[in-house]
Coordinates of all heavy atoms in Angstrom, one line a residue:
K38 N -4.1 -170.7 34.7 CA -3.5 -171.3 33.6 C -2.5 -172.4 34.1 O -1.7 -172.1 35.0 CB -2.8 -170.3 32.7 CG -1.8 -170.7 31.7 CD -1.5 -169.6 30.7 CE 0.0 -169.3 30.8 NZ 0.3 -168.4 29.7
L39 N -2.4 -173.5 33.4 CA -1.5 -174.6 33.8 C -0.8 -174.9 32.5 O -1.4 -175.3 31.5 CB -2.2 -175.8 34.3 CG -1.4 -177.1 34.6 CD1 -0.4 -176.8 35.6 CD2 -2.3 -178.2 35.0
E40 N 0.6 -174.9 32.5 CA 1.4 -175.1 31.3 C 2.6 -175.9 31.7 O 3.2 -175.7 32.7 CB 1.8 -173.8 30.8 CG 2.5 -173.8 29.4 CD 2.7 -172.4 28.8 OE1 2.6 -171.4 29.6 OE2 3.0 -172.4 27.7
F41 N 2.9 -177.0 30.9 CA 4.0 -177.8 31.2 C 4.5 -178.6 30.0 O 3.8 -178.6 29.0 CB 3.7 -178.8 32.4 CG 2.6 -179.7 32.1 CD1 2.8 -181.0 31.5 CD2 1.2 -179.3 32.3 CE1 1.7 -181.8 31.2 CE2 0.2 -180.2 32.0 CZ 0.4 -181.4 31.5
T42 N 5.6 -179.2 30.1 CA 6.2 -180.0 29.0 C 6.5 -181.4 29.5 O 7.0 -181.6 30.5 CB 7.5 -179.4 28.4 OG1 7.2 -178.0 28.0 CG2 8.1 -180.2 27.3
K43 N 6.0 -182.4 28.7 CA 6.3 -183.8 29.0 C 7.4 -184.3 28.1 O 7.4 -184.1 26.9 CB 5.0 -184.6 28.8 CG 5.2 -186.1 28.8 CD 5.0 -186.7 30.2 CE 5.2 -188.2 30.1 NZ 4.7 -188.9 31.3
T44 N 8.5 -184.8 28.7 CA 9.6 -185.3 28.0 C 9.9 -186.8 28.2 O 9.3 -187.4 29.2 CB 10.9 -184.5 28.3 OG1 11.3 -184.9 29.6 CG2 10.7 -183.0 28.2
D45 N 10.7 -187.4 27.4 CA 11.2 -188.7 27.6 C 12.4 -188.7 28.5 O 13.2 -189.7 28.6 CB 11.4 -189.5 26.3 CG 12.5 -188.8 25.5 OD1 13.2 -187.9 25.9 OD2 12.7 -189.2 24.3
G46 N 12.7 -187.6 29.1 CA 13.9 -187.4 29.9 C 14.9 -186.4 29.2 O 15.7 -185.8 29.9
V47 N 14.7 -186.3 27.9 CA 15.6 -185.4 27.1 C 14.7 -184.6 26.1 O 14.7 -183.4 26.1 CB 16.7 -186.2 26.4 CG1 17.5 -185.2 25.5 CG2 17.6 -186.9 27.3
N48 N 13.9 -185.3 25.3 CA 13.2 -184.7 24.2 C 11.7 -184.7 24.5 O 11.2 -185.5 25.3 CB 13.4 -185.5 22.9 CG 14.8 -185.5 22.5 OD1 15.5 -184.5 22.4 ND2 15.4 -186.7 22.3
P49 N 11.0 -183.7 24.0 CA 9.5 -183.6 24.2 C 8.9 -184.9 23.7 O 9.3 -185.5 22.7 CB 9.1 -182.5 23.3 CG 10.3 -181.6 23.2 CD 11.5 -182.6 23.2
L50 N 7.9 -185.4 24.5 CA 7.3 -186.7 24.2 C 5.9 -186.4 23.5 O 5.1 -185.8 24.1 CB 7.1 -187.5 25.5 CG 6.6 -188.9 25.4 CD1 7.5 -189.8 24.5 CD2 6.4 -189.5 26.7
K51 N 5.7 -187.0 22.3 CA 4.5 -186.9 21.6 C 3.5 -188.0 21.9 O 4.0 -189.1 22.3 CB 4.7 -186.8 20.1 CG 5.6 -185.6 19.7 CD 5.8 -185.6 18.2 CE 6.7 -184.4 17.8 NZ 7.1 -184.5 16.4
G52 N 2.3 -187.8 21.6 CA 1.3 -188.9 21.8 C 0.8 -189.1 23.2 O 0.2 -190.2 23.5
V53 N 0.9 -188.1 24.0 CA 0.5 -188.2 25.4 C -0.8 -187.3 25.5 O -0.8 -186.3 24.9 CB 1.5 -187.7 26.4 CG1 1.0 -187.8 27.8 CG2 2.8 -188.6 26.2
E54 N -1.7 -187.7 26.3 CA -2.9 -186.9 26.5 C -3.1 -186.8 28.0 O -3.0 -187.7 28.8 CB -4.1 -187.6 25.9 CG -5.4 -186.8 26.1 CD -6.6 -187.6 25.4 OE1 -6.8 -187.4 24.2 OE2 -7.3 -188.4 26.1
F55 N -3.5 -185.6 28.5 CA -3.8 -185.3 29.9 C -5.2 -184.8 30.0 O -5.7 -184.1 29.2 CB -2.8 -184.3 30.4 CG -1.4 -184.8 30.7 CD1 -0.4 -184.7 29.7 CD2 -1.1 -185.4 31.9 CE1 0.8 -185.1 29.9 CE2 0.2 -185.9 32.1 CZ 1.2 -185.7 31.1
T56 N -5.8 -185.1 31.1 CA -7.2 -184.6 31.5 C -7.1 -184.0 32.8 O -6.5 -184.5 33.8 CB -8.2 -185.8 31.5 OG1 -8.2 -186.4 30.2 CG2 -9.6 -185.3 31.8
L57 N -7.7 -182.8 32.9 CA -7.7 -182.0 34.2 C -9.2 -182.2 34.7 O -10.1 -181.8 34.0 CB -7.4 -180.6 33.9 CG -7.2 -179.7 35.2 CD1 -6.0 -180.1 36.0 CD2 -7.1 -178.2 34.8
L58 N -9.3 -182.7 35.9 CA -10.6 -182.9 36.5 C -10.8 -182.2 37.9 O -9.8 -182.3 38.7 CB -10.8 -184.4 36.8 CG -10.8 -185.3 35.5 CD1 -10.4 -186.7 35.9 CD2 -12.1 -185.3 34.9
K59 N -11.9 -181.6 38.1 CA -12.2 -181.0 39.4 C -12.5 -182.0 40.4 O -13.3 -183.0 40.1 CB -13.4 -180.0 39.3 CG -13.5 -179.1 40.5 CD -14.4 -177.9 40.2 CE -14.6 -177.1 41.5 NZ -13.9 -175.9 41.5
V60 N -11.9 -181.9 41.6 CA -12.1 -182.9 42.7 C -12.5 -182.2 44.0 O -12.3 -181.0 44.1 CB -10.9 -183.7 42.9 CG1 -10.5 -184.6 41.7 CG2 -9.7 -182.9 43.3
D61 N -13.1 -182.9 44.9 CA -13.4 -182.4 46.2 C -12.2 -182.4 47.1 O -11.1 -182.8 46.7 CB -14.6 -183.1 46.9 CG -14.4 -184.6 47.1 OD1 -13.2 -185.0 47.1 OD2 -15.4 -185.3 47.2
E62 N -12.3 -182.1 48.4 CA -11.2 -182.0 49.3 C -10.5 -183.4 49.5 O -9.4 -183.4 49.9 CB -11.7 -181.5 50.7 CG -12.2 -180.0 50.7 CD -11.0 -179.0 50.4 OE1 -9.9 -179.3 50.9 OE2 -11.3 -178.0 49.8
Q63 N -11.3 -184.5 49.3 CA -10.7 -185.8 49.5 C -10.1 -186.3 48.2 O -9.6 -187.5 48.2 CB -11.8 -186.8 50.0 CG -12.3 -186.6 51.4 CD -13.1 -185.3 51.6 OE1 -14.0 -185.0 50.7 NE2 -12.9 -184.6 52.6
G64 N -10.2 -185.6 47.1 CA -9.6 -186.0 45.9 C -10.5 -186.8 45.0 O -10.1 -187.3 44.0
K65 N -11.8 -186.8 45.3 CA -12.8 -187.5 44.5 C -13.3 -186.6 43.4 O -13.7 -185.5 43.7 CB -13.9 -188.0 45.4 CG -14.9 -188.9 44.7 CD -16.0 -189.3 45.6 CE -17.1 -190.0 44.8 NZ -18.3 -190.4 45.6
V66 N -13.4 -187.1 42.2 CA -13.9 -186.3 41.1 C -15.4 -185.9 41.4 O -16.2 -186.7 41.8 CB -13.9 -187.1 39.7 CG1 -14.5 -186.4 38.6 CG2 -12.4 -187.5 39.4
I67 N -15.6 -184.6 41.1 CA -17.0 -184.1 41.4 C -17.8 -184.2 40.1 O -17.4 -183.7 39.0 CB -16.9 -182.6 41.8 CG1 -16.1 -182.4 43.1 CG2 -18.3 -182.0 41.9 CD1 -15.8 -181.0 43.4
N68 N -18.9 -185.0 40.2 CA -19.8 -185.2 39.0 C -21.0 -184.4 39.2 O -21.5 -184.1 40.3 CB -20.1 -186.7 38.9 CG -18.9 -187.5 38.5 OD1 -18.1 -187.1 37.7 ND2 -18.8 -188.7 39.1
G69 N -21.6 -184.0 38.0 CA -22.9 -183.2 38.0 C -24.0 -184.2 38.0 O -23.8 -185.4 38.2
E70 N -25.2 -183.7 37.9 CA -26.4 -184.5 37.9 C -26.4 -185.5 36.8 O -27.0 -186.6 36.9 CB -27.7 -183.7 37.9 CG -27.9 -182.9 39.1 CD -29.1 -182.0 39.0 OE1 -30.0 -182.2 38.1 OE2 -29.3 -181.1 39.9
D71 N -25.7 -185.2 35.7 CA -25.7 -186.1 34.5 C -24.7 -187.2 34.7 O -24.5 -188.1 33.8 CB -25.4 -185.4 33.2 CG -24.1 -184.6 33.3 OD1 -23.4 -184.7 34.3 OD2 -23.8 -183.9 32.3
G72 N -23.9 -187.2 35.8 CA -22.9 -188.3 36.1 C -21.6 -188.0 35.5 O -20.6 -188.7 35.7
K73 N -21.5 -186.9 34.8 CA -20.2 -186.5 34.1 C -19.5 -185.5 35.0 O -20.1 -184.8 35.8 CB -20.4 -185.9 32.8 CG -21.1 -186.9 31.8 CD -21.3 -186.2 30.4 CE -21.9 -187.2 29.5 NZ -22.2 -186.6 28.2
P74 N -18.1 -185.4 34.9 CA -17.4 -184.5 35.8 C -17.9 -183.0 35.5 O -18.2 -182.7 34.4 CB -15.9 -184.6 35.3 CG -15.9 -186.0 34.7 CD -17.2 -186.3 34.1
V75 N -18.0 -182.3 36.6 CA -18.4 -180.9 36.5 C -17.4 -180.0 35.8 O -17.8 -179.0 35.2 CB -18.8 -180.2 37.9 CG1 -19.9 -180.9 38.5 CG2 -17.6 -180.2 38.8
F76 N -16.1 -180.4 35.8 CA -15.1 -179.7 35.0 C -14.1 -180.7 34.5 O -13.6 -181.5 35.3 CB -14.4 -178.7 35.9 CG -13.3 -177.9 35.2 CD1 -13.7 -176.7 34.6 CD2 -12.0 -178.4 35.1 CE1 -12.7 -176.0 33.8 CE2 -11.1 -177.6 34.3 CZ -11.4 -176.5 33.7
E77 N -13.9 -180.7 33.2 CA -13.0 -181.7 32.6 C -12.5 -181.0 31.3 O -13.2 -180.6 30.5 CB -13.7 -182.9 32.2 CG -12.9 -184.0 31.5 CD -13.7 -185.2 31.2 OE1 -14.9 -185.1 30.8 OE2 -13.1 -186.3 31.3
K78 N -11.2 -180.9 31.3 CA -10.5 -180.4 30.1 C -9.4 -181.4 29.6 O -8.7 -181.9 30.5 CB -9.8 -179.0 30.3 CG -10.8 -177.9 30.4 CD -10.1 -176.6 30.1 CE -11.1 -175.5 30.0 NZ -10.6 -174.2 29.6
V79 N -9.4 -181.6 28.3 CA -8.4 -182.6 27.8 C -7.4 -181.8 26.9 O -7.8 -180.9 26.2 CB -9.1 -183.6 26.9 CG1 -8.1 -184.6 26.3 CG2 -10.1 -184.4 27.8
S80 N -6.1 -182.2 27.0 CA -5.1 -181.6 26.1 C -4.3 -182.7 25.5 O -3.7 -183.5 26.3 CB -4.2 -180.6 26.9 OG -3.2 -180.1 26.1
S81 N -4.2 -182.7 24.2 CA -3.3 -183.7 23.5 C -1.9 -183.1 23.3 O -1.0 -183.9 22.9 CB -3.9 -184.0 22.2 OG -5.2 -184.6 22.4
G82 N -1.7 -181.8 23.6 CA -0.4 -181.3 23.5 C 0.1 -181.0 22.1 O -0.4 -181.6 21.2
V83 N 1.1 -180.2 22.0 CA 1.8 -179.8 20.8 C 3.3 -179.9 21.1 O 3.8 -179.2 21.9 CB 1.4 -178.4 20.3 CG1 2.1 -178.1 19.0 CG2 -0.1 -178.3 20.0
N84 N 3.9 -180.9 20.4 CA 5.4 -181.1 20.6 C 5.7 -181.2 22.1 O 6.7 -180.7 22.6 CB 6.2 -179.9 20.0 CG 6.0 -179.8 18.5 OD1 5.9 -180.9 17.8 ND2 5.9 -178.6 18.0
G85 N 4.9 -182.0 22.8 CA 5.2 -182.3 24.2 C 4.8 -181.2 25.2 O 5.0 -181.3 26.4
K86 N 4.2 -180.1 24.6 CA 3.8 -179.0 25.5 C 2.3 -179.0 25.7 O 1.5 -179.2 24.8 CB 4.2 -177.6 24.9 CG 5.7 -177.5 24.8 CD 6.1 -176.2 24.2 CE 7.7 -176.2 24.1 NZ 8.3 -175.0 24.2
Y87 N 1.9 -178.8 27.0 CA 0.5 -178.8 27.3 C 0.0 -177.5 28.0 O 0.8 -176.9 28.7 CB 0.2 -180.0 28.3 CG 0.6 -181.3 27.6 CD1 1.9 -181.7 27.6 CD2 -0.4 -182.0 27.0 CE1 2.2 -182.9 26.9 CE2 0.0 -183.2 26.3 CZ 1.3 -183.6 26.2 OH 1.6 -184.7 25.5
L88 N -1.2 -177.1 27.7 CA -1.7 -175.9 28.2 C -3.2 -176.0 28.5 O -4.0 -176.5 27.7 CB -1.6 -174.8 27.1 CG -2.2 -173.4 27.4 CD1 -1.5 -172.8 28.6 CD2 -2.1 -172.5 26.2
F89 N -3.5 -175.7 29.8 CA -4.9 -175.7 30.2 C -5.2 -174.2 30.6 O -4.5 -173.7 31.5 CB -5.1 -176.6 31.4 CG -5.0 -178.0 31.1 CD1 -3.8 -178.7 31.2 CD2 -6.1 -178.8 30.7 CE1 -3.7 -180.0 30.9 CE2 -6.0 -180.1 30.4 CZ -4.8 -180.8 30.5
E90 N -6.2 -173.6 30.0 CA -6.5 -172.2 30.4 C -8.0 -172.1 30.9 O -8.8 -173.0 30.6 CB -6.3 -171.3 29.2 CG -4.9 -171.2 28.8 CD -4.7 -170.2 27.6 OE1 -5.1 -170.5 26.5 OE2 -4.1 -169.1 27.9
G91 N -8.4 -171.0 31.5 CA -9.7 -170.8 31.9 C -10.1 -171.8 33.0 O -11.3 -172.3 33.1
I92 N -9.2 -172.0 34.0 CA -9.5 -172.9 35.1 C -10.1 -172.2 36.3 O -9.4 -171.3 36.8 CB -8.2 -173.6 35.5 CG1 -7.5 -174.3 34.3 CG2 -8.5 -174.6 36.6 CD1 -6.1 -174.8 34.6
P93 N -11.3 -172.5 36.7 CA -11.9 -171.8 37.9 C -11.1 -172.2 39.1 O -10.4 -173.3 39.1 CB -13.3 -172.4 37.9 CG -13.6 -173.0 36.6 CD -12.2 -173.4 36.0
E94 N -11.2 -171.4 40.2 CA -10.5 -171.7 41.4 C -11.0 -173.1 41.9 O -12.2 -173.5 41.7 CB -10.9 -170.7 42.5 CG -10.1 -169.4 42.3 CD -10.4 -168.5 43.5 OE1 -10.0 -168.8 44.6 OE2 -11.0 -167.4 43.2
G95 N -10.1 -173.8 42.6 CA -10.5 -175.1 43.2 C -9.4 -176.1 43.1 O -8.3 -175.9 42.8
N96 N -9.8 -177.3 43.5 CA -8.9 -178.5 43.6 C -9.1 -179.4 42.3 O -10.3 -179.6 41.9 CB -9.2 -179.3 44.8 CG -8.9 -178.6 46.1 OD1 -7.9 -177.9 46.2 ND2 -9.8 -178.6 47.0
Y97 N -8.0 -179.8 41.8 CA -8.1 -180.6 40.6 C -7.1 -181.8 40.6 O -6.2 -181.7 41.5 CB -7.7 -179.8 39.3 CG -8.7 -178.7 39.1 CD1 -8.5 -177.4 39.8 CD2 -9.8 -178.8 38.2 CE1 -9.4 -176.4 39.6 CE2 -10.7 -177.8 38.0 CZ -10.5 -176.6 38.7 OH -11.4 -175.6 38.5
I98 N -7.3 -182.7 39.7 CA -6.2 -183.7 39.5 C -5.9 -183.7 38.0 O -6.8 -183.5 37.2 CB -6.6 -185.2 39.9 CG1 -7.9 -185.6 39.3 CG2 -6.6 -185.3 41.4 CD1 -8.1 -187.1 39.4
L99 N -4.6 -183.8 37.7 CA -4.1 -183.9 36.4 C -3.8 -185.4 36.1 O -3.0 -185.9 36.8 CB -2.9 -183.0 36.2 CG -2.3 -183.0 34.8 CD1 -3.2 -182.4 33.8 CD2 -0.9 -182.3 34.8
R100 N -4.5 -185.9 35.2 CA -4.4 -187.4 34.9 C -3.9 -187.6 33.5 O -4.4 -187.1 32.6 CB -5.8 -188.0 35.1 CG -5.8 -189.5 34.9 CD -7.2 -190.1 35.3 NE -7.3 -190.0 36.7 CZ -8.5 -190.1 37.4 NH1 -9.6 -190.3 36.7 NH2 -8.5 -190.1 38.7
E101 N -2.9 -188.4 33.4 CA -2.4 -188.9 32.1 C -3.3 -189.9 31.6 O -3.4 -191.0 32.2 CB -1.0 -189.4 32.2 CG -0.3 -189.6 30.9 CD 1.2 -189.9 31.0 OE1 1.8 -189.5 32.0 OE2 1.7 -190.6 30.1
T102 N -4.1 -189.6 30.5 CA -5.1 -190.5 30.0 C -4.7 -191.3 28.7 O -5.4 -192.2 28.3 CB -6.4 -189.8 29.8 OG1 -6.1 -188.6 29.1 CG2 -7.1 -189.4 31.1
K103 N -3.6 -190.9 28.2 CA -3.1 -191.6 27.0 C -1.6 -191.6 27.0 O -1.0 -190.5 27.2 CB -3.6 -190.9 25.7 CG -3.3 -191.7 24.4 CD -3.7 -190.9 23.2 CE -4.6 -191.6 22.3 NZ -5.0 -190.9 21.2
T104 N -0.9 -192.7 26.9 CA 0.5 -192.8 27.0 C 1.1 -193.6 25.8 O 0.5 -194.7 25.5 CB 0.9 -193.5 28.3 OG1 0.3 -192.9 29.4 CG2 2.4 -193.5 28.5
P105 N 2.1 -193.2 25.2 CA 2.7 -193.9 24.1 C 3.2 -195.3 24.5 O 3.6 -195.5 25.7 CB 3.9 -193.1 23.6 CG 3.7 -191.7 24.2 CD 2.9 -191.9 25.4
E106 N 3.2 -196.2 23.6 CA 3.7 -197.6 23.9 C 5.1 -197.5 24.4 O 5.9 -196.8 23.8 CB 3.6 -198.5 22.7 CG 3.8 -199.9 22.9 CD 3.6 -200.8 21.7 OE1 2.7 -200.4 20.9 OE2 4.3 -201.7 21.5
G107 N 5.4 -198.3 25.4 CA 6.8 -198.3 25.9 C 7.0 -197.4 27.1 O 8.1 -197.3 27.7
F108 N 6.0 -196.6 27.4 CA 6.1 -195.6 28.5 C 5.1 -195.9 29.6 O 4.0 -196.4 29.3 CB 6.0 -194.2 28.0 CG 7.1 -193.7 27.2 CD1 7.1 -193.9 25.8 CD2 8.2 -193.0 27.7 CE1 8.1 -193.5 25.0 CE2 9.2 -192.6 26.9 CZ 9.2 -192.8 25.5
E109 N 5.4 -195.6 30.8 CA 4.4 -195.8 31.9 C 3.7 -194.5 32.2 O 4.2 -193.4 32.1 CB 5.2 -196.2 33.2 CG 5.8 -197.6 33.1 CD 6.4 -198.0 34.4 OE1 6.0 -197.5 35.5 OE2 7.3 -198.9 34.4
K110 N 2.4 -194.6 32.5 CA 1.6 -193.4 32.9 C 2.1 -192.9 34.2 O 2.5 -193.6 35.1 CB 0.1 -193.8 33.1 CG -0.6 -194.0 31.8 CD -2.1 -194.2 32.0 CE -2.7 -194.5 30.7 NZ -4.1 -194.8 30.8
L111 N 2.0 -191.5 34.3 CA 2.3 -190.9 35.6 C 1.2 -191.1 36.6 O 0.0 -191.3 36.1 CB 2.4 -189.4 35.4 CG 3.6 -188.8 34.6 CD1 3.4 -187.3 34.3 CD2 4.9 -189.1 35.3
D112 N 1.4 -191.1 37.8 CA 0.4 -191.0 38.8 C -0.3 -189.7 38.7 O 0.2 -188.7 38.3 CB 1.0 -191.2 40.3 CG 1.6 -192.6 40.5 OD1 1.1 -193.5 39.8 OD2 2.4 -192.7 41.4
D113 N -1.6 -189.7 39.2 CA -2.3 -188.4 39.2 C -1.6 -187.3 40.0 O -0.9 -187.6 41.0 CB -3.7 -188.6 39.9 CG -4.7 -189.4 39.0 OD1 -4.4 -189.7 37.9 OD2 -5.8 -189.8 39.6
I114 N -1.7 -186.1 39.5 CA -1.0 -185.0 40.2 C -2.0 -184.0 40.7 O -3.0 -183.6 40.0 CB -0.1 -184.3 39.2 CG1 1.0 -185.2 38.6 CG2 0.5 -183.0 39.8 CD1 1.8 -184.7 37.4
K115 N -1.9 -183.7 42.0 CA -2.9 -182.7 42.6 C -2.5 -181.3 42.2 O -1.3 -180.9 42.1 CB -2.8 -182.8 44.1 CG -3.2 -184.1 44.7 CD -3.1 -184.1 46.2 CE -3.4 -185.5 46.7 NZ -3.3 -185.6 48.2
V116 N -3.6 -180.6 41.8 CA -3.4 -179.2 41.3 C -4.4 -178.3 42.1 O -5.6 -178.7 42.2 CB -3.6 -179.1 39.8 CG1 -3.5 -177.6 39.3 CG2 -2.7 -180.0 39.0
I117 N -3.9 -177.2 42.6 CA -4.8 -176.2 43.2 C -4.8 -174.9 42.4 O -3.7 -174.3 42.2 CB -4.4 -175.9 44.7 CG1 -4.5 -177.2 45.5 CG2 -5.3 -174.8 45.3 CD1 -4.0 -177.1 46.9
A118 N -6.0 -174.5 41.9 CA -6.1 -173.3 41.1 C -6.5 -172.1 42.0 O -7.5 -172.3 42.7 CB -7.1 -173.4 40.0
E119 N -5.7 -171.1 42.0 CA -6.0 -169.9 42.9 C -6.0 -168.7 42.0 O -5.4 -168.7 40.9 CB -5.0 -169.8 44.0 CG -4.9 -171.0 44.9 CD -3.8 -170.8 46.0 OE1 -2.8 -170.2 45.7 OE2 -4.0 -171.4 47.0
K120 N -6.6 -167.6 42.5 CA -6.5 -166.3 41.8 C -5.1 -165.7 41.9 O -4.5 -165.8 42.9 CB -7.6 -165.3 42.3 CG -8.9 -165.7 41.8 CD -9.9 -164.6 42.2 CE -11.2 -164.9 41.5 NZ -12.2 -163.9 41.9

């Protein structure tokens, strides 16, 4: 499980979307035969809080895919899911 809160520095920030993608050891997104990521979960959050559950073991990147006007997107964040 991955849980976090995105803020504007003080208050929870609304209107942000994050996508969790499975990647290989080099950080490249792993795609299936259909060309789509083998694991992809999207969270639009509630009051700036984000939750990803049911994540299999492995390497992932957390990517900010939607950002409110006036704010900059975060760089991708490496995530390792372990038991």
Side-chain angles (χ1 to χ4, degrees):
K38 162 168 120 171
L39 173 63
E40 189 172 13
F41 60 95
T42 302
K43 168 91 178 193
T44 69
D45 62 6
V47 178
N48 300 305
L50 187 60
K51 296 178 185 175
V53 181
E54 179 180 275
F55 286 93
T56 302
L57 187 65
L58 298 156
K59 188 165 180 107
V60 296
D61 61 20
E62 295 291 326
Q63 288 74 40
K65 183 178 174 189
V66 175
I67 300 172
N68 291 320
E70 291 180 11
D71 61 0
K73 296 180 180 177
V75 295
F76 182 90
E77 176 180 41
K78 283 200 173 190
V79 177
S80 178
S81 298
V83 177
N84 296 323
K86 295 183 184 205
Y87 298 83
L88 175 64
F89 292 90
E90 293 185 291
I92 304 168
E94 284 186 65
N96 297 314
Y97 297 85
I98 54 169
L99 181 65
R100 180 172 288 162
E101 188 171 337
T102 47
K103 187 185 233 182
T104 307
E106 189 174 326
F108 290 89
E109 292 184 22
K110 283 186 180 177
L111 293 174
D112 291 337
D113 289 351
I114 299 170
K115 295 178 185 178
V116 177
I117 300 174
E119 301 176 333
K120 283 188 175 180

